[in-house]
Amino acid sequence: MENKKLIQSEIQKLTDELNRHNYNYYILDQPTISDFDFDMMLERLAALEKEHPELIRPDSPTQRVGGTITKQFNSVAHKYPMLSLGNTYSEGEVRDFDQRVKGLVHEDVEYVCELKYDGVAISLIYENGFLIRSVTRGDGMKGDEVTANVKTIKSIPLKLRGDYPPFIEVRGEIILPHRQFEKMNQEREDIGEAPFANPRNAASGTLKLQDSSEVARRGLDCRLYYVLGENLPEDNHYARILRLKEWGFKIPEVMEKVSGIDQVINFIHQWDTERKKLPYDIDGIVIKVNSYTQQQQIGSTAKNPRWAIAYKFKAEKVASQLLSVDYQVGRTGVVTPVANLSPVLLAGTVVKRASLHNADVMNELDIHKDDFLFVEKGGEIIPKIVGVDIARRAPKNVKLLFISHCPECGTPLVRQEGEAAHFCPNELHCPPQIKGKLEHFISRKAMNIDSLGEGKVEILFDNGLVRHIADFYQLTYSQLLGLEKRFPETENQKERILSFREKTVENILAGIEQSRQVPFERVLFALGIRYVGETTAKKLARYFKTIDALSGASKEELLQVEDVGERIAESIVAYFNKTENLEVLIALKNAGLQFEVSTQLQHSSSLLSGKTIVVSGLFSVPRDVLKEKIEQYGGKNTSSISKNTDFVLAGEQMGPEKRKKAEKLGIPIISETDFWKMLEE
Ligand code: IVH
């Protein structure tokens, strides 16, 4: 017992200390510890928590990395309705707002000007200093509870500091900064998923992911703009937002208190220009009456407060003539139509190309040959085609139809049910698909052969030295030495000549040699199976342990793996049904690549060996802790109950359907306490 007390106090100390460092880093921007030392401390805490899951604290920084799986988001009523703001689009309307406000308060009014973040509204509930719940706006009266996902956002405190009130609700906007947005879309395109159209959609999609560790990877951020509660300190909005800082929140970097409508208009002008330099999207300015007493005097309608208003920036719009449509074929064969436009200046940049996304979008826009297209750029980073100037269309010009055959290899294109994208099914012989696969294989998160990057793969492909991924392992010094290619100048790069001298060749061969040690899960990702991203590859590797088990798995078995749905399962089965793929796998195996999880990961004990277990309900520890334990003891986690299930580990509020099914099939249901006892024994 004494020992447990010591551990509890160490967990407490580490949690507090790590939270303090997180605060220094994310809120104050003044780290006082090296990343390495931080990671060591975090590792120590995670190890202690793993041994003693009952001692994990709700504000533990380990929750930042996610791990919780939410199957269904609970609908939760808002304590105070989540109103939206009335919109204005002109200076005149902003002045009208000022007049209305003054007509109601009959005294001087101070305004606070803020940025209008283009993201997803969120409500954060803190009780006794702990973040206990986080809910989306929903219909304004009730929203979805997304707490596990929100906890992964580093700028949101899990535990407040200083002299905080016993209850507060803080509202703000979850945003996805440009850098993270671009990275995420690149990754999506890499595995054959349609990219998100803008950061707002991406933030909203990310917030609704079931796997919080995936949310943690994507890099959401948050900006706060509203504080609610009872008997809170301060009698005005501005001061209360500043208070948030004392309680450990990161407060908006831009917020200005002004005393007349002219200053409001100045703020609008200033940010209409400066927004282009912000690392995230904003779509306007929000103007709020500062004094709470005045806010109450002014009141609200059912939908909007009357004491605040949004000014929306005008998206700049120009018309430009369509020169042609390119159809780009990506690594997984997805075909994306891109409009080539007569160059126009738009919001400070010259636009020559804009994505038309897919056949549905093209069809809805009803694009005809030589049309003048309206291109818009608002607070967003990407120019968007929003319509056609029909008045300028010549009657003879025909409607443009999406192509039926691959522009690169001539294969008829396929469109799967429920998918917006067309794709070229000739994955083994279509040149951009082969090249894309080769590039994916060597990429950092896959085999990480960085000595082969930046155009070198293209040279190998053009010279017929590499046709499929296994060919990398047959390359010889003499084949490589002296290869050369001239890359003409492009929009982003000057002309360059790449030539393979001694040192380059040595590096390439050494990189290939080292890649033979890359662990199985990354090899699996590197194979480039459609829809199998990094996370899915990891889960598959852990579940099946060897490529032989995976390649022999039926669709039903694949569906047992967490996060694997119909689409992924079908794609995996199809991959292993192709003889060509099996040949490549044999060649890679002969080359000595890792096709099994390392023995270390296999299991440290065989107590649950061969047992198939379903974990369902709420537990005192994150569900992943239990799942990891099961794996560590040799068991298998599955998501649905079948006759092959050995037992169900049931927490509170386990779904009634699941319970019924388990009872019907006569499968034992054990409690969390029994489970820990079982492991102890
Ligand atoms: S204040 C009752 N401030 O824009 C006032 N909202 O329709 C609540 N938004 O739902 C909102 N930036 O999602 C406020 N600085 C800001 C904001 C902001 C973005 C969002 C919010 C709101 C919508 C307006």
Side-chain angles (χ1 to χ4, degrees), residues 83-85 114-117 121 173 225-226 286 288 305:
L83 302 181
S84 62
L85 298 169
E114 297 171 11
L115 304 182
K116 185 171 185 308
Y117 309 101
E173 201 84 352
Y225 48 64
Y226 200 30
V286 178
K288 296 173 183 171

Side-chain angles (χ1 to χ4, degrees), residues 230-258:
E230 266 131 57
N231 304 320
L232 298 187
E234 309 298 350
D235 65 358
N236 66 83
H237 172 70
Y238 189 85
R240 202 177 274 172
I241 293 283
L242 290 188
R243 274 293 178 119
L244 284 182
K245 190 165 179 187
E246 287 169 30
W247 298 333
F249 291 94
K250 180 170 164 182
I251 61 165
E253 47 275 77
V254 181
M255 179 174 75
E256 220 168 277
K257 204 157 58 170
V258 303

Side-chain angles (χ1 to χ4, degrees), residues 522-547:
R522 275 172 47 202
V523 176
L524 191 53
F525 171 59
L527 295 178
I529 305 172
R530 175 181 279 260
Y531 305 132
V532 175
E534 218 189 334
T535 317
T536 309
K538 225 179 247 172
K539 289 190 173 154
L540 288 167
R542 282 202 179 177
Y543 189 96
F544 289 103
K545 309 227 165 22
T546 68
I547 193 83

Side-chain angles (χ1 to χ4, degrees), residues 233-290:
E234 309 298 350
D235 65 358
N236 66 83
H237 172 70
Y238 189 85
R240 202 177 274 172
I241 293 283
L242 290 188
R243 274 293 178 119
L244 284 182
K245 190 165 179 187
E246 287 169 30
W247 298 333
F249 291 94
K250 180 170 164 182
I251 61 165
E253 47 275 77
V254 181
M255 179 174 75
E256 220 168 277
K257 204 157 58 170
V258 303
S259 57
I261 201 64
D262 288 333
Q263 284 187 33
V264 170
I265 304 287
N266 283 345
F267 186 90
I268 290 176
H269 286 164
Q270 180 192 350
W271 284 98
D272 198 1
T273 313
E274 289 190 27
R275 69 184 154 121
K276 285 156 202 154
K277 293 187 227 142
L278 286 170
Y280 47 81
D281 282 354
I282 63 170
D283 60 345
I285 295 299
V286 178
I287 303 131
K288 296 173 183 171
V289 169
N290 192 23

